[in-house]
Amino acid sequence: MRGLGGRLGWACDRLADADGEAEPVEGAWSIGEHLAHLAALVRRGRPALGDGTTDWAGNVEANRHPLACLASLSGLDATMQILRSDPGALSGAVLTASSPDHTLSPCYLVNGPWANAQHHVDQVVSLRKMPGHPAPHHQTFLGQPPLADCWSL
């Protein structure tokens, strides 16, 4: 979670709204669309830990601009706080799929929304390079963002 938040923070750092809406090719997701989906993935994971259930509510279309990553960073921070205060919260998490009667085990939280969130953050990183915003050196797996001008959780 910490690495995901650090990577997302610098991936969105100094991006303009125009960068967020640019499509790399026709029909491909823009940075804004990746951020909207990422906000939904983060929003889905946290309640599963908090009260034990969550469902998919769809992409958060209001979170399509680069500063919207703050909502996802806040959600990731809240998720980390839950995991720190109650390490057993993950084992009690339940995701629902399509109906409340169809539930998924906690492993789907890690291998579903959280793994997908990493994929979408990586897409934002790739897309930010296209208009000429290089990615700074970082240690993703250690949760260490770039040393200069970094965002941290």
Side-chain angles (χ1 to χ4, degrees):
M1 289 292 157
R2 187 173 174 203
L4 181 62
R7 190 165 170 85
L8 174 62
W10 66 254
C12 294
D13 191 25
R14 297 186 197 108
L15 288 181
D17 284 340
D19 295 329
E21 292 306 317
E23 287 184 359
V25 295
E26 186 177 335
W29 279 20
S30 66
I31 287 175
E33 288 168 307
H34 283 286
L35 292 173
H37 189 62
L38 179 64
L41 293 167
V42 171
R43 185 183 60 196
R44 184 170 191 203
R46 188 179 65 229
L49 298 174
D51 64 15
T53 61
T54 189
D55 198 357
W56 179 252
N59 290 351
V60 183
E61 291 302 318
N63 290 347
R64 290 178 57 98
H65 55 88
L67 283 179
C69 74
L70 297 176
S72 293
L73 287 169
S74 176
L76 288 169
D77 185 48
T79 301
M80 288 190 321
Q81 294 302 325
I82 292 169
L83 290 171
R84 284 183 187 130
S85 65
D86 181 9
L90 183 57
S91 64
V94 176
L95 281 81
T96 58
S98 67
S99 76
D101 298 331
H102 185 195
T103 60
L104 304 170
S105 71
C107 72
Y108 283 93
L109 184 58
V110 175
N111 295 313
W114 292 344
N116 196 7
Q118 180 65 55
H119 164 77
H120 288 284
V121 169
D122 289 342
Q123 291 297 312
V124 171
V125 170
S126 294
L127 292 172
R128 80 169 272 139
K129 293 177 183 180
M130 293 178 77
H133 301 293
H137 177 72
H138 63 285
Q139 296 290 333
T140 302
F141 295 110
L142 300 176
Q144 297 172 351
L147 297 177
D149 297 325
C150 69
W151 297 24
S152 62
L153 295 175

